Amino acid sequence: MFEGFYPKEYLNSTYEIDFEDFYKRGFRGIIFDIDNTLVPHGMPADERAIALFERLKKIGYRVTMLSNNKEPRVKMFCDAVDAPYIFKAGKPNPKNYRQAFITMGTDENTTLFVGDQIFTDVWGANKAGLYSILVKPIHPKEEIQIVLKRYLEKIVLLSYQRTQKRRK
């Protein structure tokens, strides 16, 4: 019933993803959400985020940020990690997910998406045919509209986790 919202993987943090393994498996591009995926909502890039992007570039990845936020917020983060971006992306519409991987020179089979929300990040990535990774939000402080969606996400996550147990 909720399969379109299910991520391919659900992890505790962006910072525990084995990006080297994904590269060996043929992935060459990564599209990231920013807020609560890489840093707490509204915060600038920190040392951990900057180090991650340096590591990804050394591995050989192309990266793009995809955010529903306004340009000043997105630009502040992306300037610090030296990454291109699409702001006011309209997630979950798959249009800008596709634009991101086309710009990176990748395609739906060689691009990962990493985000912290099911109904925008994961659903849009799935509609674009990407390998979606859902991570737990970094910080509990969020805008009210996101807090409300989190209650609905719990229902989808419960269904997802039950499905995963049955598959094992």
Side-chain angles (χ1 to χ4, degrees):
M1 179 166 142
F2 295 120
E3 287 81 9
F5 298 110
Y6 292 171
K8 296 286 188 275
E9 294 187 34
Y10 179 40
L11 302 170
N12 289 321
S13 170
T14 299
Y15 299 97
E16 73 176 32
I17 297 171
D18 187 345
F19 290 108
E20 289 81 1
D21 181 62
F22 279 106
Y23 196 84
K24 287 177 192 168
R25 292 164 49 189
F27 290 92
R28 296 298 181 263
I30 308 170
I31 302 169
F32 286 98
D33 174 55
I34 298 171
D35 288 320
N36 259 343
T37 298
L38 294 163
V39 292
H41 187 81
M43 298 302 290
D46 57 19
E47 289 179 19
R48 185 167 71 157
I50 293 167
L52 173 65
F53 283 87
E54 288 172 359
R55 179 176 139 221
L56 294 173
K57 289 171 190 169
K58 284 180 185 167
I59 294 169
Y61 280 109
R62 305 282 311 265
V63 298
T64 299
M65 304 300 129
L66 190 66
S67 176
N68 283 347
N69 221 318
K70 295 176 184 168
E71 188 172 24
R73 190 285 174 269
V74 178
K75 184 178 182 340
M76 170 184 64
F77 182 90
C78 293
D79 284 352
V81 298
D82 190 27
Y85 60 88
I86 298 172
F87 66 96
K88 287 189 175 180
K91 296 183 285 183
N93 185 327
K95 176 184 166 213
N96 282 319
Y97 291 81
R98 290 186 186 112
Q99 183 59 50
F101 69 67
I102 289 167
T103 301
M104 290 189 295
T106 60
D107 61 34
E108 60 273 350
N109 298 309
T110 59
T111 306
L112 299 170
F113 179 84
V114 182
D116 70 298
Q117 293 186 55
I118 289 175
F119 298 120
T120 52
D121 298 330
V122 171
W123 189 27
N126 290 349
K127 290 194 296 184
L130 302 177
Y131 191 99
S132 57
I133 301 174
L134 177 68
V135 295
K136 292 180 181 174
I138 289 175
H139 194 275
K141 182 179 179 267
E142 297 180 297
E143 296 174 338
I144 188 66
Q145 70 271 19
I146 297 171
V147 172
L148 297 173
K149 283 192 276 184
R150 295 286 185 204
Y151 289 107
L152 297 173
E153 284 186 354
K154 287 179 184 178
I155 296 166
V156 175
L157 282 172
L158 183 62
S159 176
Y160 167 78
Q161 289 166 333
R162 286 181 180 156
T163 301
Q164 293 303 322
K165 284 182 184 176
R166 276 188 244 130
R167 288 181 182 163
K168 289 180 182 178

